[in-house]
Amino acid sequence: AVVSTQSTGVEVRVKAKPDEKTGMVMDIAILKKDIQDLIATVDHKFIDKDVPWFATRPSTVENICIFFYEELAKKMPAGVKLNKVKVWETEKNIASYKG
């Protein structure tokens, strides 16, 4: 199963076998909160100075994708794999990353 959620220009896909009791791959409300929390770490910030991960990397949309992927992957529940993160910088400038 693939679950996809979009929030403020970010799409996250996870893969897992649905739980037999709940029928869900994971609690989508928790995933949305994790995404919103992560967006808050970069939103309206001077990313290169305010976010330690970017101290040695340029804050390109590609690197923001990788940052989001790495941070969200740490929060996945057992049995759930983060599949892909996609970030829209503008309507036409999009990056995606599969770990």
Side-chain angles (χ1 to χ4, degrees), residues 2-14 26-36 39 72 76 82 84-88:
V2 176
V3 175
S4 176
T5 181
Q6 280 191 322
S7 176
T8 319
V10 177
E11 179 181 303
V12 174
R13 291 178 167 247
V14 298
M26 68 179 293
D27 186 333
I28 198 76
I30 293 171
L31 179 59
K32 285 182 179 183
K33 182 177 181 336
D34 288 343
I35 294 167
Q36 290 167 348
I39 289 169
L72 289 170
M76 292 295 108
L82 185 58
K84 181 165 94 173
V85 172
K86 186 186 272 190
V87 175
W88 281 259

Side-chain angles (χ1 to χ4, degrees), residues 16-29:
K17 182 179 176 184
D19 182 270
E20 290 181 14
K21 293 178 186 173
T22 66
M24 297 188 306
V25 169
M26 68 179 293
D27 186 333
I28 198 76

Side-chain angles (χ1 to χ4, degrees), residues 38-86:
L38 195 52
I39 289 169
T41 66
V42 298
D43 196 27
H44 295 84
K45 303 264 177 31
F46 187 57
I47 297 172
D48 295 334
K49 291 190 179 190
D50 296 337
V51 182
W53 193 91
F54 291 96
T56 59
R57 302 168 184 93
S59 57
T60 63
V61 69
E62 295 85 355
N63 278 338
I64 292 170
C65 248
I66 294 167
F67 171 66
F68 278 22
Y69 184 97
E70 289 180 359
E71 294 301 309
L72 289 170
K74 296 174 191 175
K75 297 178 177 273
M76 292 295 108
V80 178
K81 181 183 185 303
L82 185 58
N83 179 259
K84 181 165 94 173
V85 172
K86 186 186 272 190

